[in-house]
Amino acid sequence: MAALSQLLLTVFLAAALLPLAMAATTTTYPIGSFCWEPGMNYGDLNGSDAVVRRRSINFVVSDLVAKARTGGGFATSKAGRGYDAFYGLAQCRGDVSGGDCDACLAQAAKQMVSYCNYTSDSRLWYEYCFMRYDNYNFLGEVDTREDASVTMRQWPDMDNPKAFQKAAGKAMGKATAQAVAVGSSGLGRAKEQYTPFVSVYALAQCTRDLSPPSCAQCLSAAVSKFDKACGSGPGCQIDYSSCWARYEIYPFYFPLAAAGRATIDMTKYTKVTVH
Ligand SMILES: *[C@@H]1O[C@H](CO)[C@@H](O)[C@H](O)[C@H]1NC(C)=O
Ligand SMILES: *[C@@H]1O[C@H](CO)[C@@H](O)[C@H](O)[C@H]1NC(C)=O
């Protein structure tokens, strides 16, 4: 009973703090970034290489925002030729609205350059969207690089870790099966009862350039890391560049269940590194 009231208190506090945190965390800051090779600021260079690079990258990121607006939250783009070509991909979480998607990608386009200084391979993860560009054609490739990924878990561990991990695993399995099914656009959402009072909500998604088998490969890499990375934390997510998987004990994905909330409480999240 103590655990339940503690849980309810946590949920209550989180809900009370939410409206402020929500606007800030969903669109303002990325939850993760990857810039390769860092240290060089192409934004400050005036050589013709740097100028061409900036022009191509600026084109790709703004093209991604525009195309995703009409492309249902997904877009690819290309600029330049040969060794100077840059390829881009943008994708929103499949359940967010067009307006939220657009706002998230517009922010990503703006922050891509301030975070990465026009590095060759740049990626930003937000709660609602993901944007990447690179200097080779990565489209259709499964990417589960650990150094270019985001892993975040919530604390404290649930009281009954084995039973909870089983429920979370079941929810994740259902969401994954949905995501890899033909015609799902790579998105899966599922709910699994843990106790009479607590359910686990799971979301799994691949970028839309992946085929169903590639999607399955990516999500299985993510899901296989959950035990080690998430323990029995009440929420956890693993975000790669071509798929992401997450569960929570509250309805975080749209459409929201009654009295739901659709955001991360960033104050309770801890980034973890798993190798
Ligand atoms: C961006 O440029 C600044 C200043 O030149 C530098 O300190 C920083 O390390 C660069 N960041 C990356 C990701 O290259
Ligand atoms: C590039 O040009 C700008 C504006 O002309 C100048 O302020 C800046 O110092 C130049 N950068 C380098 C590295 O020469």
Side-chain angles (χ1 to χ4, degrees):
M1 214 52 209
L4 177 64
S5 52
Q6 192 186 355
L7 173 72
L8 290 176
L9 180 66
T10 310
V11 170
F12 172 75
L13 284 175
L17 294 172
L18 202 71
L20 282 176
M22 187 152 118
T25 58
T26 51
T27 53
T28 312
Y29 301 110
I31 56 173
S33 62
F34 176 80
C35 315
W36 187 258
E37 65 300 34
M40 181 83 130
N41 191 342
Y42 291 97
D44 282 348
L45 300 177
N46 294 325
S48 61
D49 283 4
V51 172
V52 170
R53 171 189 285 249
R54 283 203 293 275
R55 193 182 305 140
S56 294
I57 291 169
N58 288 340
F59 173 84
V60 166
V61 297
S62 58
D63 191 39
L64 288 173
V65 178
K67 278 186 180 156
R69 202 173 288 149
T70 53
F74 171 72
T76 63
S77 181
K78 183 193 171 196
R81 253 177 266 128
Y83 288 120
D84 292 327
F86 280 93
Y87 298 81
L89 177 147
Q91 172 135 15
C92 287
R93 216 175 70 191
D95 59 311
V96 309
S97 71
D100 283 344
C101 173
D102 191 38
C104 187
L105 289 175
Q107 182 72 356
K110 217 191 290 173
Q111 294 189 323
M112 189 63 95
V113 162
S114 54
Y115 271 79
C116 288
N117 300 338
Y118 298 98
T119 51
S120 305
D121 176 356
S122 307
R123 318 177 191 193
L124 292 180
W125 290 262
Y126 295 80
E127 190 184 348
Y128 285 171
C129 69
F130 170 72
M131 184 182 280
R132 172 187 181 188
Y133 72 80
D134 209 326
N135 63 353
Y136 81 100
N137 187 356
F138 61 89
L139 302 170
E141 217 174 64
V142 177
D143 190 314
T144 54
R145 273 179 77 154
E146 297 297 339
D147 61 342
S149 68
V150 181
T151 302
M152 296 197 298
R153 62 157 291 177
Q154 302 246 35
W155 296 90
D157 278 325
M158 298 293 277
D159 283 342
N160 191 347
K162 275 214 169 117
F164 181 72
Q165 281 182 310
K166 198 171 159 198
K170 250 183 158 170
M172 215 64 229
K174 281 189 200 167
T176 302
Q178 229 182 69
V180 305
V182 176
S184 70
S185 299
L187 173 70
R189 281 165 289 190
K191 177 184 168 186
E192 183 71 28
Q193 192 95 15
Y194 165 53
T195 70
F197 308 104
V198 181
S199 290
V200 187
Y201 300 80
L203 180 145
Q205 187 174 9
C206 293
T207 52
R208 276 204 246 152
D209 58 321
L210 295 194
S211 65
S214 298
C215 176
Q217 185 190 333
C218 187
L219 284 173
S220 115
V223 168
S224 71
K225 277 185 52 193
F226 266 82
D227 271 3
K228 202 170 160 195
C230 309
S232 58
C236 195
Q237 62 180 304
I238 295 178
D239 304 316
Y240 288 131
S241 298
S242 37
C243 69
W244 38 88
R246 174 178 171 193
Y247 73 80
E248 302 285 349
I249 52 171
Y250 60 86
F252 65 96
Y253 52 70
F254 299 103
L256 293 182
R261 59 194 186 101
T263 189
I264 306 182
D265 178 1
M266 294 303 291
T267 58
K268 291 197 320 199
Y269 252 112
T270 318
K271 285 209 187 196
V272 291
T273 312
V274 181
H275 295 290

